[in-house]
Amino acid sequence: MAGLYEKPSETYAKKRPRYPKEWFSMLASLTAGHHRAWDAGCGSGQASLSIAEHYDSVVATDVSEGQLRHAIAHPKVRYLHTPEDLAEDDLVALVGGEGSLDLVIVATAIHWFDVPLFYAVVNRVLRKPGGVLAVWGYNYDIHPFGDKLHGALCPAMRPYMDPRTRLAMERYRDLPFPFEPVGVGREGEPADVDMEAEMTLEDLAGFVMTGSVATTAGEKGVDLEALVKGVMKEVEEGWGDRPTVPRKLVFKAFMLAGRPR
């Protein structure tokens, strides 16, 4: 999937919403130690920077070199490229070794992973006891325009969606999560977590175009931007008089957190 995010990597860094600081404070309160964390599938580093406020060091990895080129530097964060064919033992060593991590996070990316392999690595690298894995995501359920985006945008985009994105579209309810609950959702029942963002109408359209579906459609010769513009016209009708003025949108996100059993 690395190639799906190479071309839009710079736009991705600018247009994707920021995760609430409160999420990271909450996750840090769940771990026994605060020495080392791993942001797996870090993209351009939105979550890496926030988790660095609570841990001594963060290793942030991604299969997309384009995403990593646009990641924001931070003295506590070390960005590393992880090729898709990296073996389990090599990945364990790369992120710090057996029992070395207090927290592992995956921000809107686990649906792209080889999940059994990733969980095997997580169970090896988390400290026991006290280590925590947290995964979260969001989709086009964005209030107050969720009905318009879901009702019109998703059907238009569905032919170009990678099947793996179904997990995110269905709010990770079908994502295997064999970890002991810590009060933030459980397997089959992710916790609902809101993510507020100030966006203009152009920002919202830009966000839609950062998805992997835009790359896939382009490769098939389809101008997805034209489809998106049609849907955004409907959104514009309910936006108000000034589409260039930012307004508060709420991404209806979802999260799972747990400890190795």
Side-chain angles (χ1 to χ4, degrees):
M1 52 76 62
L4 295 175
Y5 289 99
E6 289 293 318
K7 292 178 181 178
S9 57
E10 184 174 6
T11 305
Y12 187 102
K14 295 177 180 178
K15 296 296 186 182
R16 287 279 167 144
R18 297 291 185 260
Y19 303 114
K21 291 185 177 181
E22 294 77 16
W23 289 10
F24 301 96
S25 299
M26 178 272 292
L27 293 174
S29 74
L30 298 175
T31 65
H34 298 88
H35 302 296
R36 188 175 177 86
W38 173 25
D39 181 4
C42 66
S44 52
Q46 289 97 327
S48 311
L49 302 184
S50 295
I51 209 65
E53 296 181 14
H54 301 277
Y55 292 83
D56 296 335
S57 66
V58 176
V59 58
T61 63
D62 205 282
V63 299
S64 170
E65 292 180 286
Q67 289 285 336
L68 293 173
R69 279 195 297 272
H70 293 99
I72 302 170
H74 189 285
K76 286 187 179 182
V77 180
R78 185 163 61 108
Y79 294 102
L80 297 172
H81 177 239
T82 47
E84 290 183 88
D85 59 354
L86 196 64
E88 180 181 326
D89 287 345
D90 293 334
L91 184 53
V92 168
L94 186 71
V95 300
E98 307 272 350
S100 64
L101 302 177
D102 299 295
L103 177 70
V104 178
I105 62 171
V106 187
T108 319
I110 195 168
H111 47 281
W112 295 112
F113 288 10
D114 177 335
V115 174
L117 171 61
F118 175 66
Y119 286 165
V121 172
V122 168
N123 277 299
R124 291 175 61 180
V125 299
L126 277 179
R127 298 185 193 277
K128 303 176 190 66
V132 169
L133 167 67
V135 306
W136 64 82
Y138 56 88
N139 51 36
Y140 299 114
D141 189 0
I142 307 168
H143 288 203
F145 302 107
D147 290 344
K148 285 186 171 62
L149 291 172
H150 261 291
L153 187 61
C154 289
M157 298 171 77
R158 190 168 291 120
Y160 316 107
M161 284 182 175
D162 189 290
R164 290 169 289 185
T165 62
R166 179 186 60 82
L167 281 171
M169 291 299 145
E170 298 179 0
R171 304 182 62 81
Y172 286 175
R173 284 187 288 259
D174 292 334
L175 175 71
F177 198 75
F179 294 87
E180 182 181 344
V182 292
V184 186
R186 61 179 63 244
E187 186 174 54
E189 300 176 20
D192 295 325
V193 287
D194 287 351
M195 181 170 64
E196 296 183 357
E198 293 284 333
M199 300 178 108
T200 65
L201 187 64
E202 182 182 0
D203 290 335
L204 182 58
F207 157 75
V208 172
M209 290 303 297
T210 63
S212 62
V213 64
T215 301
T216 303
E219 290 173 349
K220 294 183 177 181
V222 175
D223 183 4
L224 186 66
E225 189 170 359
L227 293 175
V228 170
K229 282 181 178 178
V231 174
M232 295 308 296
K233 194 69 178 175
E234 295 184 30
V235 173
E236 184 177 4
E237 292 172 2
W239 190 273
D241 298 344
R242 299 182 293 173
T244 59
V245 175
R247 61 175 294 175
K248 185 175 77 173
L249 305 180
V250 180
F251 288 71
K252 308 304 285 185
F254 36 92
M255 182 181 293
L256 290 159
R259 293 189 177 96
R261 296 189 184 277

